[in-house]
Amino acid sequence: MTPTPPASASASSPGSPATPPRGRREQLGQIFRFALVGGVNTGTFFALYLLLHPWMPYFAAYTLAFVLSMIGSFFMNTYFTYRTRPTWKKFLLFPLTNVTNYVIQSVGLYALVTWAGMDTRIAPLVAAVVAIPFTFLLSRKILIPGTGAGAGDGARTGAEPERSSSTV
């Protein structure tokens, strides 16, 4: 008995090993779009942080900028990155994806400022870089039901319309 090839191997045509399967291409597209949204979101966060920083303690400015940019991130990720409709359920669950991001960034921010003596204007950007992979995986899992660690190439890509009628 010969082993069945993985789903990703069976989806490509025999003569074109350089062409990734459709599911893999969609996932690479999501990663690329996530990076673009992340760049815009990081710029928005950092601009808000710098605007708020003179008026309040650095950690309060960081938290408020984080919350405001997270709301923008939700809409950019639903519409652009994963191409799915926003719903109230996703909107309410999305902050859970950012709890990990917030914890990683907060610990990093504190450590960089307190222990490493880094400038409070730069430390949030450095801490944010560490959290990127975690945020991608968690937001994908929430915004595209059926994806996650155990999902294969047959998982929802967000390209098909959803049946839920409750949108934000």
Side-chain angles (χ1 to χ4, degrees):
M1 177 191 267
T2 53
T4 306
S8 60
S10 63
S12 61
S13 60
S16 60
T19 305
R22 184 179 187 283
R24 183 68 47 124
R25 279 193 309 257
E26 177 60 26
Q27 189 173 20
L28 289 173
Q30 287 174 357
I31 292 169
F32 178 74
R33 292 187 303 268
F34 184 82
L36 288 175
V37 167
V40 169
N41 192 52
T42 300
T44 302
F45 159 77
F46 195 55
L48 289 169
Y49 175 75
L50 290 177
L51 287 171
L52 296 168
H53 187 280
W55 307 104
M56 58 183 67
Y58 80 91
F59 208 81
Y62 164 79
T63 301
L64 184 56
F66 187 91
V67 168
L68 293 173
S69 65
M70 181 177 59
I71 293 168
S73 177
F74 170 76
F75 288 105
M76 288 188 288
N77 277 303
T78 54
Y79 286 119
F80 180 68
T81 302
Y82 303 113
R83 298 180 178 164
T84 185
R85 286 189 325 195
T87 64
W88 282 109
K89 179 181 178 183
K90 290 176 188 176
F91 184 75
L92 295 174
L93 289 174
F94 191 72
L96 296 177
T97 67
N98 284 284
V99 167
T100 300
N101 185 9
Y102 183 79
V103 168
I104 291 169
Q105 286 190 37
S106 297
V107 169
L109 175 65
Y110 182 81
L112 290 169
V113 170
T114 304
W115 299 329
M118 188 174 282
D119 189 317
T120 59
R121 293 170 292 181
I122 303 300
L125 288 177
V126 176
V129 170
V130 175
I132 290 170
F134 299 101
T135 306
F136 173 77
L137 294 172
L138 291 172
S139 64
R140 185 172 192 263
K141 184 175 176 85
I142 283 192
L143 296 178
I144 305 176
T147 60
D153 288 16
R156 264 179 80 106
T157 62
E160 62 190 71
E162 295 181 3
R163 298 187 202 298
S164 175
S165 61
S166 61
T167 59
V168 174

